[in-house]
Structures are given as structure tokens and as C-alpha cells.
Amino acid sequence: MRTTLIVGTYLLASALFILGLKGLTHPRTAVRGNLLGALGMFLAVVVTLVDRRIVDWTVILAGLVVGSALGAIVATKIQMTAMPQLVALFNGLGGAASVLVAGAALMGFGLSEKSLALQYAAASAVAGLIGAVTFWGSLVAFGKLQVLIPERAMSFTGQRVFNAVLAVLALGLGAALIVSPESSGTWYWALVGVATVLGVSLVMPIGGADMPVVIALLNSYSGLAAAATGFVLMNNVLIIAGALVGASGLILTRIMCQAMNRSLTAVLFGGAGPPTEMKMTADEVYGGKVKSATPDEVALLFDGARRVVMVPGYGMAVAQAQHAVAELADWLEARGIEVEYAIHPVAGRMPGHMNVLLAEADIPYEKLKDLDTINPTFEQTDVVLVNGANDIVNPLARTDSSSIIAGMPILDVDKARTVVVVKRSLAPGFAGIPNPLFAADNTLMMFGDGKKMVLELIAALKST
Amino acid sequence: MEALLTRLTIFVLAVFAGFEVITKIPPTLHTPLMSGANAISGITIVGAIVAAGAQESLLTTVLGFIAVVCASINVVGGFLVTHRMLAMFRRKG
């Protein structure tokens, strides 16, 4: 009877997870969707407490209280700009939990008979491997996003061989675990150790702008690790929830890769890529052609403008300029100027990063347009204001087939009447190449901090 | 073997269901999707609870306790922060 209650509630929880994700298909239903997911989780946790195998609740309650308090504090205090590192951290904790639960299962609890069946051993090996890679990979990603360690790609010669050796070693240990169950604990923790090194070594060579891919992939892994743990425990709700998250992360990974026109293997194993010989040096591209403008000069451009498009990039997030940008948009709209926002899928450090920042600044989501929607409108746009973006507006992606970013879908801002670029300097973006947009006839550079320059522009507009 | 295949069936069908639902999520909600999905992957918490409470050995209890802490940070923090983000998405006017 009790088992029926538990399994039945798990079924209900699984359905609530799917309905919850379905709610996320529209901003209007998204809040309710998230609450449905939370309800499913709550029910699953409560019903698990009546499991017959539990003999003492003190340790459980202590863990729940400590974890929930920590989670609640972090979730309420965190700045929206720090969202990528928070998601990375949460991914990692999910992976860690899977490693520990599969480990505990191997060490004794939950398996009906002590002789390990093949599937338990194989599933534990998978859970340990993916879970540990997720945990340590996420910690490295967190460190990079929080700039605790350098954000650039860090690799050493022979790293690919090193990773391949680790992977083979991990598979070997997994096989050992299956073949000799009597010392399965030893094999398991050795496997987790190897996966630890592998997780660190896989994410270290991945640099800043490739982070959206890595975060999405680790998101997927955290789900797959949970599903593998579900196979160890023979628990359907873990398998279903894990599969859903695994699928979600894979879809996002694919979208991010397409938005950069790079294959997943190129992102993961290409590192920063071989130093391509530059066809044009920065001096040839920029020499004498870059026009710098003051906020007062830029303010004149908006005189008589009918349509303005804002293009936010990672620089806007770093400068925390989203509120200033929203204030500027309000001022322009109050004067009858149409304002929209062009969001490139890989702008920022995680999928949807810019949307969250602009939503925080109270900008209605209907004004945030994706690449395919906004691109045909640039020709009818009077002023484009690019804030802290570089590679995603580089026309070389269209014009130079030998460029490292050739074929990457970009925002065609150069087709607008005037382009204003707010940027600290002419320093190259993540791709490491010069951007002819900055030297174009219709481009004005406003050099400085993303927030300060926009505020000065607003002041200049108000004083004219 | 048959038991394993039954579980695999469930896994594969759930992956398909996930693909169907998630491809329809608009880019503007991709960050909340990640943090929300992340909270759901904290479902390992149910395994952690049993591990922490079964008292098979000191080691499994300790492992279970740490797993409960990790998973509940993941679950509570994940759903809360997703709620905070989604509450910011508003319509015109």
C-alpha cells in the first residue's frame, strides 16, 4: 500500500514536471509552470519521507533545513547579472548529488540483494562518471564566470590526448566495476576520481564567449546524471525528470552551436582554435577610418529619427547598463520614436542572458526581437545603438569566407542608416579579429563605459 | 534484463516528450528554462533522502546527508531564482 502511494505520487510528480516545462513556452504561463514543477518536487519529497527503508529522520531533516536555507538565501540575494555563474553552480550541485547517491547505493543501501546485477553496476558507473564531470566542470565554469580563474581558454599541448586517456581509463574502471562487484566501491570512487580530472580538463580550455554552449551542455549532463541514478535506484521519477532535463540541455546546446556556426566538437575540443593568419590586421581595417563621437554629437542623430534598435552584448551586462538603456528607450518612446531590442542567441554568457537583464530593467518582452525577426528591419532603422557587443555584429561573418566567424549568423546592424557603438576600446572580441563595422562610413564610436556613456547621452538629449 | 528494458523505454519516451515540449520554448525564456530544468534535475533528492535515513552504515549516512544538502540547495534555490526571474517578464503597459 505504502509503495503504491509512493510510486503513484512519483507518477503525479513526473506529470507535473512535464506540465511545468510546458508552461514555460509562454511568458504569460511561465510563472504558473514553474510553480507546478515546484509542486511536483514538493510532493515527491514529502512522499519519500514515508519510505519503509528510512529508520531515522534527524539526518534527513538536518540536510533539508541546511540545504533549503542556503538555496533560499543565495536565490534571493543574487544579482541578475550573476545568473550564469549561479546556474553553473546549481548544475554542479545536482551532479554532485547524483554521484553521492549512486555511491551510497553501491555501498549498501537500496539494493535488494548484495550481489550486484549488471544493470545496477553499469548505471552506477554512468552516474558516477557524468555526475563528477558535471560537478567539476561546473565548478570550473563558475570560477571562470565569477573571474576567480582567468576567463580565457587555457590549454596545454597534448590536452586532447590527455582527455582521451582519461576517458579510456574511466571506461576501464567502469568495466572493472561491472566485472568484479565484490570491490565495486573501490572501483567506483576511482572512477569518480578520474572523472573529476576529466571534468576540470574538459572545461579549462573553453573561453568566455563559448560559455553559453558549456553551460547548456552541463545542464544536460546534470539531467543525464540524475537519470542514470534513477537506473541505479530503479526509480521512474528520477529517470523521467533526468531525461527531460537532459533533452532540454541538449536542445539549448544545439541552438547555441548553430548561433555560432560551430560544431559541438569544435567548441569542446577546438579550444580557442589554431591562431588563424589574419588577412587584415587591425591597423589596415581601422587606420584613419574610425570616427569617434561625443554624447552631444550622438544626441543630434536622434533628431527626426523614427526607429531605433538597441543591440546589447556582454559588455552591457558587465557595465550593468540595462537600466540606463531602458531609461534612454523610455525617453525616446515618449517622443514617439519606435524602440526595439535585437537579441543575438549567444549575446552574453548563457542562453537568454540578455533577455533576463532587460526584463529586470522593466522592458516588455514583446520588444525583445530575435535574429530572424529583427534582421530584415535594419534597413528601415535610423539609429542602431550597439552596447558592448562585437563578434555578433561583425560583417566579416557575411563577407569573408576565410574568417574564423565565416557563416555565423549575425545582426545586420551595418544596414541601418547610422550605427552608434558604445565600447571601451577597439579591442577585439572573443574571436580575436578586427571588426570592419567600427570603421564603416555610417558608424560612430562612443568610447567609454557602457553605463556612463548611455547616461551622458540621456543628459545630452535632455539638454537639447 | 527485462526490468532494465522497461526503464529504458520510460527513459526514451521521456526524452521524446522533453524534445517536443522544450523546442517550443521561446529564446526569451531560455535562462529561466535552464534554471527551472536545473531545479527539476535536483529530483535526485528523493534518492538522497532514502540514503540519509536508511542508516545502512555511517558512510552511506554521511554521503546521504551531503547529497540531501547539495540537492536541496539545487531544488529550493533553482525554483526560487526561476520564480524571481519570471516575475520580471512583463507585457507592454
mmCIF file of all heavy atoms in Angstrom, chain A residues 263-314:
data_model
loop_
_atom_site.group_PDB
_atom_site.id
_atom_site.type_symbol
_atom_site.label_atom_id
_atom_site.label_comp_id
_atom_site.label_asym_id
_atom_site.label_seq_id
_atom_site.Cartn_x
_atom_site.Cartn_y
_atom_site.Cartn_z
ATOM 1 N N SER A 263 30.496 23.490 -34.708
ATOM 2 C CA SER A 263 30.006 22.201 -34.254
ATOM 3 C C SER A 263 30.342 22.061 -32.773
ATOM 4 O O SER A 263 31.233 22.738 -32.259
ATOM 5 C CB SER A 263 30.676 21.080 -35.039
ATOM 6 O OG SER A 263 32.042 21.029 -34.696
ATOM 7 N N LEU A 264 29.604 21.171 -32.106
ATOM 8 C CA LEU A 264 29.840 20.969 -30.680
ATOM 9 C C LEU A 264 31.272 20.502 -30.429
ATOM 10 O O LEU A 264 31.936 20.953 -29.507
ATOM 11 C CB LEU A 264 28.839 19.952 -30.132
ATOM 12 C CG LEU A 264 28.930 19.669 -28.640
ATOM 13 C CD1 LEU A 264 28.747 20.948 -27.839
ATOM 14 C CD2 LEU A 264 27.910 18.632 -28.228
ATOM 15 N N THR A 265 31.770 19.608 -31.290
ATOM 16 C CA THR A 265 33.144 19.116 -31.100
ATOM 17 C C THR A 265 34.146 20.257 -31.242
ATOM 18 O O THR A 265 35.134 20.311 -30.519
ATOM 19 C CB THR A 265 33.496 18.009 -32.110
ATOM 20 O OG1 THR A 265 32.933 18.350 -33.361
ATOM 21 C CG2 THR A 265 32.999 16.669 -31.661
ATOM 22 N N ALA A 266 33.874 21.203 -32.157
ATOM 23 C CA ALA A 266 34.800 22.328 -32.324
ATOM 24 C C ALA A 266 34.838 23.187 -31.071
ATOM 25 O O ALA A 266 35.881 23.680 -30.665
ATOM 26 C CB ALA A 266 34.398 23.169 -33.537
ATOM 27 N N VAL A 267 33.673 23.363 -30.454
ATOM 28 C CA VAL A 267 33.631 24.172 -29.230
ATOM 29 C C VAL A 267 34.351 23.442 -28.104
ATOM 30 O O VAL A 267 35.149 24.015 -27.368
ATOM 31 C CB VAL A 267 32.171 24.462 -28.812
ATOM 32 C CG1 VAL A 267 32.136 25.190 -27.472
ATOM 33 C CG2 VAL A 267 31.479 25.289 -29.872
ATOM 34 N N LEU A 268 34.079 22.130 -27.978
ATOM 35 C CA LEU A 268 34.615 21.375 -26.848
ATOM 36 C C LEU A 268 36.099 21.066 -26.991
ATOM 37 O O LEU A 268 36.840 21.152 -26.027
ATOM 38 C CB LEU A 268 33.848 20.059 -26.675
ATOM 39 C CG LEU A 268 32.415 20.190 -26.194
ATOM 40 C CD1 LEU A 268 31.817 18.827 -25.976
ATOM 41 C CD2 LEU A 268 32.347 21.005 -24.908
ATOM 42 N N PHE A 269 36.511 20.697 -28.194
ATOM 43 C CA PHE A 269 37.883 20.230 -28.329
ATOM 44 C C PHE A 269 38.762 21.166 -29.134
ATOM 45 O O PHE A 269 39.966 21.003 -29.184
ATOM 46 C CB PHE A 269 37.910 18.835 -28.959
ATOM 47 C CG PHE A 269 37.095 17.850 -28.187
ATOM 48 C CD1 PHE A 269 35.910 17.335 -28.700
ATOM 49 C CD2 PHE A 269 37.488 17.467 -26.916
ATOM 50 C CE1 PHE A 269 35.149 16.446 -27.966
ATOM 51 C CE2 PHE A 269 36.724 16.581 -26.177
ATOM 52 C CZ PHE A 269 35.561 16.064 -26.699
ATOM 53 N N GLY A 270 38.148 22.161 -29.774
ATOM 54 C CA GLY A 270 38.951 23.061 -30.604
ATOM 55 C C GLY A 270 39.691 24.086 -29.767
ATOM 56 O O GLY A 270 40.536 24.794 -30.257
ATOM 57 N N GLY A 271 39.364 24.188 -28.487
ATOM 58 C CA GLY A 271 39.943 25.248 -27.673
ATOM 59 C C GLY A 271 39.627 26.577 -28.316
ATOM 60 O O GLY A 271 38.541 26.783 -28.853
ATOM 61 N N ALA A 272 40.574 27.493 -28.315
ATOM 62 C CA ALA A 272 40.354 28.782 -28.958
ATOM 63 C C ALA A 272 40.587 28.652 -30.457
ATOM 64 O O ALA A 272 40.465 29.610 -31.193
ATOM 65 C CB ALA A 272 41.288 29.828 -28.377
ATOM 66 N N GLY A 273 40.902 27.470 -30.920
ATOM 67 C CA GLY A 273 41.174 27.266 -32.334
ATOM 68 C C GLY A 273 42.619 27.630 -32.633
ATOM 69 O O GLY A 273 43.244 28.375 -31.867
ATOM 70 N N PRO A 274 43.158 27.087 -33.724
ATOM 71 C CA PRO A 274 44.531 27.434 -34.073
ATOM 72 C C PRO A 274 44.591 28.916 -34.442
ATOM 73 O O PRO A 274 43.633 29.447 -34.986
ATOM 74 C CB PRO A 274 44.821 26.547 -35.285
ATOM 75 C CG PRO A 274 43.479 26.242 -35.864
ATOM 76 C CD PRO A 274 42.511 26.259 -34.721
ATOM 77 N N PRO A 275 45.678 29.593 -34.120
ATOM 78 C CA PRO A 275 45.773 31.005 -34.486
ATOM 79 C C PRO A 275 45.711 31.160 -36.001
ATOM 80 O O PRO A 275 46.665 30.849 -36.707
ATOM 81 C CB PRO A 275 47.138 31.432 -33.925
ATOM 82 C CG PRO A 275 47.890 30.172 -33.683
ATOM 83 C CD PRO A 275 46.879 29.101 -33.457
ATOM 84 N N THR A 276 44.569 31.614 -36.501
ATOM 85 C CA THR A 276 44.429 31.753 -37.941
ATOM 86 C C THR A 276 45.219 32.961 -38.398
ATOM 87 O O THR A 276 45.264 33.973 -37.720
ATOM 88 C CB THR A 276 42.963 31.947 -38.346
ATOM 89 O OG1 THR A 276 42.395 32.886 -37.427
ATOM 90 C CG2 THR A 276 42.180 30.664 -38.276
ATOM 91 N N GLU A 277 45.823 32.855 -39.580
ATOM 92 C CA GLU A 277 46.558 34.010 -40.094
ATOM 93 C C GLU A 277 45.548 35.092 -40.467
ATOM 94 O O GLU A 277 44.582 34.843 -41.176
ATOM 95 C CB GLU A 277 47.388 33.601 -41.309
ATOM 96 C CG GLU A 277 46.599 32.756 -42.289
ATOM 97 C CD GLU A 277 47.495 32.118 -43.335
ATOM 98 O OE1 GLU A 277 48.128 32.884 -44.067
ATOM 99 O OE2 GLU A 277 47.532 30.882 -43.400
ATOM 100 N N MET A 278 45.771 36.246 -39.941
ATOM 101 C CA MET A 278 44.840 37.343 -40.165
ATOM 102 C C MET A 278 45.020 37.872 -41.569
ATOM 103 O O MET A 278 46.114 38.206 -41.995
ATOM 104 C CB MET A 278 45.131 38.446 -39.152
ATOM 105 C CG MET A 278 43.906 39.048 -38.551
ATOM 106 S SD MET A 278 43.074 37.883 -37.470
ATOM 107 C CE MET A 278 44.110 38.065 -36.031
ATOM 108 N N LYS A 279 43.924 37.945 -42.333
ATOM 109 C CA LYS A 279 44.033 38.514 -43.678
ATOM 110 C C LYS A 279 44.259 40.002 -43.599
ATOM 111 O O LYS A 279 44.996 40.589 -44.366
ATOM 112 C CB LYS A 279 42.750 38.227 -44.470
ATOM 113 C CG LYS A 279 42.726 36.816 -45.026
ATOM 114 C CD LYS A 279 41.493 36.611 -45.837
ATOM 115 C CE LYS A 279 41.783 36.580 -47.326
ATOM 116 N NZ LYS A 279 40.537 36.394 -48.071
ATOM 117 N N MET A 280 43.534 40.619 -42.641
ATOM 118 C CA MET A 280 43.702 42.050 -42.458
ATOM 119 C C MET A 280 44.070 42.308 -41.017
ATOM 120 O O MET A 280 43.443 41.774 -40.111
ATOM 121 C CB MET A 280 42.402 42.778 -42.796
ATOM 122 C CG MET A 280 42.105 42.813 -44.274
ATOM 123 S SD MET A 280 40.646 43.806 -44.589
ATOM 124 C CE MET A 280 39.384 42.816 -43.855
ATOM 125 N N THR A 281 45.080 43.105 -40.796
ATOM 126 C CA THR A 281 45.422 43.452 -39.427
ATOM 127 C C THR A 281 44.476 44.546 -38.956
ATOM 128 O O THR A 281 43.788 45.183 -39.745
ATOM 129 C CB THR A 281 46.861 43.972 -39.331
ATOM 130 O OG1 THR A 281 46.922 45.196 -40.061
ATOM 131 C CG2 THR A 281 47.839 42.990 -39.907
ATOM 132 N N ALA A 282 44.461 44.749 -37.640
ATOM 133 C CA ALA A 282 43.598 45.779 -37.074
ATOM 134 C C ALA A 282 43.910 47.142 -37.683
ATOM 135 O O ALA A 282 43.015 47.927 -37.982
ATOM 136 C CB ALA A 282 43.759 45.815 -35.562
ATOM 137 N N ASP A 283 45.229 47.409 -37.924
ATOM 138 C CA ASP A 283 45.609 48.712 -38.470
ATOM 139 C C ASP A 283 45.027 48.931 -39.862
ATOM 140 O O ASP A 283 44.548 50.006 -40.196
ATOM 141 C CB ASP A 283 47.134 48.830 -38.539
ATOM 142 C CG ASP A 283 47.710 49.109 -37.160
ATOM 143 O OD1 ASP A 283 46.907 49.471 -36.280
ATOM 144 O OD2 ASP A 283 48.930 48.950 -36.983
ATOM 145 N N GLU A 284 45.055 47.875 -40.682
ATOM 146 C CA GLU A 284 44.521 48.006 -42.042
ATOM 147 C C GLU A 284 43.020 48.261 -42.022
ATOM 148 O O GLU A 284 42.496 49.012 -42.840
ATOM 149 C CB GLU A 284 44.809 46.737 -42.847
ATOM 150 C CG GLU A 284 46.223 46.677 -43.386
ATOM 151 C CD GLU A 284 46.583 45.276 -43.853
ATOM 152 O OE1 GLU A 284 45.674 44.544 -44.305
ATOM 153 O OE2 GLU A 284 47.748 44.911 -43.735
ATOM 154 N N VAL A 285 42.346 47.616 -41.082
ATOM 155 C CA VAL A 285 40.888 47.755 -41.026
ATOM 156 C C VAL A 285 40.489 49.121 -40.470
ATOM 157 O O VAL A 285 39.608 49.797 -40.991
ATOM 158 C CB VAL A 285 40.263 46.634 -40.157
ATOM 159 C CG1 VAL A 285 38.769 46.854 -39.975
ATOM 160 C CG2 VAL A 285 40.509 45.279 -40.815
ATOM 161 N N TYR A 286 41.169 49.519 -39.382
ATOM 162 C CA TYR A 286 40.730 50.717 -38.678
ATOM 163 C C TYR A 286 41.434 52.002 -39.131
ATOM 164 O O TYR A 286 40.877 53.084 -38.986
ATOM 165 C CB TYR A 286 40.961 50.557 -37.167
ATOM 166 C CG TYR A 286 40.194 49.422 -36.551
ATOM 167 C CD1 TYR A 286 40.757 48.599 -35.588
ATOM 168 C CD2 TYR A 286 38.875 49.167 -36.940
ATOM 169 C CE1 TYR A 286 40.040 47.560 -35.024
ATOM 170 C CE2 TYR A 286 38.159 48.128 -36.378
ATOM 171 C CZ TYR A 286 38.744 47.319 -35.421
ATOM 172 O OH TYR A 286 38.037 46.288 -34.863
ATOM 173 N N GLY A 287 42.687 51.875 -39.663
ATOM 174 C CA GLY A 287 43.562 53.023 -39.917
ATOM 175 C C GLY A 287 42.860 54.266 -40.461
ATOM 176 O O GLY A 287 42.419 54.298 -41.611
ATOM 177 N N GLY A 288 42.753 55.274 -39.652
ATOM 178 C CA GLY A 288 42.230 56.579 -40.092
ATOM 179 C C GLY A 288 40.751 56.607 -40.406
ATOM 180 O O GLY A 288 40.203 57.642 -40.779
ATOM 181 N N LYS A 289 40.072 55.440 -40.287
ATOM 182 C CA LYS A 289 38.670 55.408 -40.722
ATOM 183 C C LYS A 289 37.674 55.442 -39.578
ATOM 184 O O LYS A 289 36.480 55.633 -39.787
ATOM 185 C CB LYS A 289 38.440 54.165 -41.585
ATOM 186 C CG LYS A 289 38.989 54.323 -43.008
ATOM 187 C CD LYS A 289 38.730 53.103 -43.850
ATOM 188 C CE LYS A 289 39.850 52.093 -43.684
ATOM 189 N NZ LYS A 289 39.747 50.927 -44.530
ATOM 190 N N VAL A 290 38.180 55.206 -38.351
ATOM 191 C CA VAL A 290 37.264 55.144 -37.220
ATOM 192 C C VAL A 290 36.892 56.548 -36.761
ATOM 193 O O VAL A 290 37.750 57.394 -36.536
ATOM 194 C CB VAL A 290 37.904 54.356 -36.058
ATOM 195 C CG1 VAL A 290 37.006 54.392 -34.829
ATOM 196 C CG2 VAL A 290 38.160 52.927 -36.484
ATOM 197 N N LYS A 291 35.570 56.809 -36.687
ATOM 198 C CA LYS A 291 35.112 58.128 -36.250
ATOM 199 C C LYS A 291 34.587 58.033 -34.821
ATOM 200 O O LYS A 291 33.698 57.245 -34.525
ATOM 201 C CB LYS A 291 33.995 58.630 -37.168
ATOM 202 C CG LYS A 291 34.455 58.878 -38.594
ATOM 203 C CD LYS A 291 33.349 59.406 -39.461
ATOM 204 C CE LYS A 291 32.237 58.397 -39.724
ATOM 205 N NZ LYS A 291 32.652 57.225 -40.501
ATOM 206 N N SER A 292 35.171 58.843 -33.968
ATOM 207 C CA SER A 292 34.733 58.867 -32.572
ATOM 208 C C SER A 292 33.784 60.040 -32.377
ATOM 209 O O SER A 292 33.946 61.081 -32.993
ATOM 210 C CB SER A 292 35.981 58.994 -31.690
ATOM 211 O OG SER A 292 35.603 59.279 -30.380
ATOM 212 N N ALA A 293 32.761 59.844 -31.543
ATOM 213 C CA ALA A 293 31.780 60.909 -31.342
ATOM 214 C C ALA A 293 31.501 61.103 -29.857
ATOM 215 O O ALA A 293 31.591 60.157 -29.076
ATOM 216 C CB ALA A 293 30.483 60.576 -32.071
ATOM 217 N N THR A 294 31.165 62.321 -29.479
ATOM 218 C CA THR A 294 30.805 62.596 -28.091
ATOM 219 C C THR A 294 29.305 62.361 -27.930
ATOM 220 O O THR A 294 28.556 62.347 -28.920
ATOM 221 C CB THR A 294 31.097 64.058 -27.725
ATOM 222 O OG1 THR A 294 30.239 64.881 -28.524
ATOM 223 C CG2 THR A 294 32.547 64.418 -27.986
ATOM 224 N N PRO A 295 28.831 62.190 -26.682
ATOM 225 C CA PRO A 295 27.393 62.029 -26.454
ATOM 226 C C PRO A 295 26.584 63.182 -27.051
ATOM 227 O O PRO A 295 25.494 62.963 -27.583
ATOM 228 C CB PRO A 295 27.291 61.994 -24.933
ATOM 229 C CG PRO A 295 28.589 61.437 -24.487
ATOM 230 C CD PRO A 295 29.604 61.973 -25.450
ATOM 231 N N ASP A 296 27.115 64.413 -26.993
ATOM 232 C CA ASP A 296 26.389 65.555 -27.560
ATOM 233 C C ASP A 296 26.173 65.384 -29.061
ATOM 234 O O ASP A 296 25.101 65.661 -29.581
ATOM 235 C CB ASP A 296 27.163 66.851 -27.301
ATOM 236 C CG ASP A 296 27.055 67.271 -25.838
ATOM 237 O OD1 ASP A 296 25.945 67.152 -25.286
ATOM 238 O OD2 ASP A 296 28.083 67.660 -25.261
ATOM 239 N N GLU A 297 27.230 64.906 -29.754
ATOM 240 C CA GLU A 297 27.112 64.703 -31.203
ATOM 241 C C GLU A 297 26.127 63.577 -31.515
ATOM 242 O O GLU A 297 25.316 63.688 -32.437
ATOM 243 C CB GLU A 297 28.489 64.377 -31.801
ATOM 244 C CG GLU A 297 29.425 65.572 -31.834
ATOM 245 C CD GLU A 297 30.897 65.175 -31.968
ATOM 246 O OE1 GLU A 297 31.218 63.968 -31.891
ATOM 247 O OE2 GLU A 297 31.703 66.077 -32.143
ATOM 248 N N VAL A 298 26.195 62.508 -30.718
ATOM 249 C CA VAL A 298 25.294 61.380 -30.956
ATOM 250 C C VAL A 298 23.841 61.795 -30.703
ATOM 251 O O VAL A 298 22.921 61.374 -31.416
ATOM 252 C CB VAL A 298 25.693 60.171 -30.068
ATOM 253 C CG1 VAL A 298 24.635 59.082 -30.121
ATOM 254 C CG2 VAL A 298 27.039 59.627 -30.519
ATOM 255 N N ALA A 299 23.633 62.656 -29.707
ATOM 256 C CA ALA A 299 22.275 63.091 -29.370
ATOM 257 C C ALA A 299 21.578 63.707 -30.583
ATOM 258 O O ALA A 299 20.370 63.524 -30.772
ATOM 259 C CB ALA A 299 22.326 64.091 -28.218
ATOM 260 N N LEU A 300 22.356 64.404 -31.434
ATOM 261 C CA LEU A 300 21.760 65.050 -32.610
ATOM 262 C C LEU A 300 21.170 64.042 -33.589
ATOM 263 O O LEU A 300 20.225 64.335 -34.316
ATOM 264 C CB LEU A 300 22.822 65.901 -33.331
ATOM 265 C CG LEU A 300 23.396 67.056 -32.496
ATOM 266 C CD1 LEU A 300 24.509 67.753 -33.262
ATOM 267 C CD2 LEU A 300 22.305 68.049 -32.120
ATOM 268 N N LEU A 301 21.748 62.819 -33.595
ATOM 269 C CA LEU A 301 21.278 61.784 -34.529
ATOM 270 C C LEU A 301 19.813 61.431 -34.294
ATOM 271 O O LEU A 301 19.107 61.021 -35.209
ATOM 272 C CB LEU A 301 22.097 60.506 -34.359
ATOM 273 C CG LEU A 301 23.560 60.527 -34.777
ATOM 274 C CD1 LEU A 301 24.196 59.212 -34.380
ATOM 275 C CD2 LEU A 301 23.653 60.730 -36.276
ATOM 276 N N PHE A 302 19.384 61.529 -33.029
ATOM 277 C CA PHE A 302 18.024 61.096 -32.705
ATOM 278 C C PHE A 302 16.988 62.133 -33.126
ATOM 279 O O PHE A 302 15.794 61.883 -33.081
ATOM 280 C CB PHE A 302 17.922 60.804 -31.201
ATOM 281 C CG PHE A 302 18.720 59.615 -30.794
ATOM 282 C CD1 PHE A 302 19.988 59.754 -30.256
ATOM 283 C CD2 PHE A 302 18.212 58.333 -30.972
ATOM 284 C CE1 PHE A 302 20.735 58.649 -29.888
ATOM 285 C CE2 PHE A 302 18.946 57.229 -30.604
ATOM 286 C CZ PHE A 302 20.217 57.382 -30.071
ATOM 287 N N ASP A 303 17.480 63.309 -33.544
ATOM 288 C CA ASP A 303 16.599 64.353 -34.023
ATOM 289 C C ASP A 303 15.949 63.881 -35.320
ATOM 290 O O ASP A 303 16.631 63.664 -36.313
ATOM 291 C CB ASP A 303 17.458 65.607 -34.272
ATOM 292 C CG ASP A 303 16.631 66.857 -34.073
ATOM 293 O OD1 ASP A 303 15.606 66.759 -33.385
ATOM 294 O OD2 ASP A 303 17.007 67.898 -34.632
ATOM 295 N N GLY A 304 14.653 63.707 -35.304
ATOM 296 C CA GLY A 304 13.971 63.277 -36.521
ATOM 297 C C GLY A 304 14.014 61.784 -36.770
ATOM 298 O O GLY A 304 13.496 61.311 -37.776
ATOM 299 N N ALA A 305 14.636 61.020 -35.859
ATOM 300 C CA ALA A 305 14.663 59.567 -36.032
ATOM 301 C C ALA A 305 13.278 58.990 -35.752
ATOM 302 O O ALA A 305 12.531 59.507 -34.920
ATOM 303 C CB ALA A 305 15.684 58.950 -35.085
ATOM 304 N N ARG A 306 12.933 57.935 -36.490
ATOM 305 C CA ARG A 306 11.629 57.309 -36.252
ATOM 306 C C ARG A 306 11.770 55.949 -35.616
ATOM 307 O O ARG A 306 10.888 55.475 -34.932
ATOM 308 C CB ARG A 306 10.864 57.202 -37.573
ATOM 309 C CG ARG A 306 10.178 58.492 -37.987
ATOM 310 C CD ARG A 306 9.262 58.220 -39.156
ATOM 311 N NE ARG A 306 9.985 57.419 -40.133
ATOM 312 C CZ ARG A 306 10.212 57.840 -41.384
ATOM 313 N NH1 ARG A 306 9.753 58.977 -41.803
ATOM 314 N NH2 ARG A 306 10.884 57.080 -42.217
ATOM 315 N N ARG A 307 12.890 55.288 -35.911
ATOM 316 C CA ARG A 307 13.041 53.926 -35.395
ATOM 317 C C ARG A 307 14.461 53.709 -34.883
ATOM 318 O O ARG A 307 15.433 53.986 -35.594
ATOM 319 C CB ARG A 307 12.722 52.920 -36.502
ATOM 320 C CG ARG A 307 12.836 51.480 -36.071
ATOM 321 C CD ARG A 307 12.486 50.533 -37.220
ATOM 322 N NE ARG A 307 13.114 49.239 -36.998
ATOM 323 C CZ ARG A 307 12.620 48.315 -36.173
ATOM 324 N NH1 ARG A 307 11.503 48.524 -35.540
ATOM 325 N NH2 ARG A 307 13.263 47.177 -35.997
ATOM 326 N N VAL A 308 14.572 53.212 -33.658
ATOM 327 C CA VAL A 308 15.868 52.965 -33.032
ATOM 328 C C VAL A 308 15.906 51.513 -32.561
ATOM 329 O O VAL A 308 14.912 50.997 -32.051
ATOM 330 C CB VAL A 308 16.072 53.914 -31.823
ATOM 331 C CG1 VAL A 308 17.322 53.536 -31.037
ATOM 332 C CG2 VAL A 308 16.146 55.361 -32.286
ATOM 333 N N VAL A 309 17.042 50.837 -32.803
ATOM 334 C CA VAL A 309 17.195 49.461 -32.310
ATOM 335 C C VAL A 309 18.401 49.396 -31.373
ATOM 336 O O VAL A 309 19.477 49.893 -31.695
ATOM 337 C CB VAL A 309 17.370 48.456 -33.473
ATOM 338 C CG1 VAL A 309 17.698 47.062 -32.930
ATOM 339 C CG2 VAL A 309 16.111 48.385 -34.319
ATOM 340 N N MET A 310 18.196 48.819 -30.215
ATOM 341 C CA MET A 310 19.279 48.632 -29.242
ATOM 342 C C MET A 310 19.848 47.226 -29.413
ATOM 343 O O MET A 310 19.090 46.258 -29.479
ATOM 344 C CB MET A 310 18.736 48.747 -27.810
ATOM 345 C CG MET A 310 17.914 49.980 -27.540
ATOM 346 S SD MET A 310 19.004 51.372 -27.292
ATOM 347 C CE MET A 310 17.815 52.603 -26.761
ATOM 348 N N VAL A 311 21.160 47.120 -29.451
ATOM 349 C CA VAL A 311 21.803 45.802 -29.534
ATOM 350 C C VAL A 311 22.682 45.589 -28.298
ATOM 351 O O VAL A 311 23.771 46.140 -28.214
ATOM 352 C CB VAL A 311 22.653 45.682 -30.819
ATOM 353 C CG1 VAL A 311 23.350 44.320 -30.865
ATOM 354 C CG2 VAL A 311 21.802 45.875 -32.050
ATOM 355 N N PRO A 312 22.195 44.824 -27.319
ATOM 356 C CA PRO A 312 23.002 44.601 -26.123
ATOM 357 C C PRO A 312 23.974 43.436 -26.315
ATOM 358 O O PRO A 312 23.681 42.473 -27.017
ATOM 359 C CB PRO A 312 21.956 44.252 -25.058
ATOM 360 C CG PRO A 312 20.830 43.641 -25.825
ATOM 361 C CD PRO A 312 20.860 44.202 -27.226
ATOM 362 N N GLY A 313 25.144 43.548 -25.691
ATOM 363 C CA GLY A 313 26.116 42.452 -25.697
ATOM 364 C C GLY A 313 26.613 42.216 -24.280
ATOM 365 O O GLY A 313 26.123 42.845 -23.337
ATOM 366 N N TYR A 314 27.603 41.341 -24.155
ATOM 367 C CA TYR A 314 28.108 41.017 -22.821
ATOM 368 C C TYR A 314 28.621 42.267 -22.101
ATOM 369 O O TYR A 314 28.510 42.391 -20.880
ATOM 370 C CB TYR A 314 29.233 39.972 -22.937
ATOM 371 C CG TYR A 314 29.752 39.496 -21.616
ATOM 372 C CD1 TYR A 314 28.901 38.974 -20.663
ATOM 373 C CD2 TYR A 314 31.114 39.578 -21.306
ATOM 374 C CE1 TYR A 314 29.375 38.540 -19.440
ATOM 375 C CE2 TYR A 314 31.598 39.145 -20.087
ATOM 376 C CZ TYR A 314 30.722 38.628 -19.155
ATOM 377 O OH TYR A 314 31.204 38.196 -17.941
#
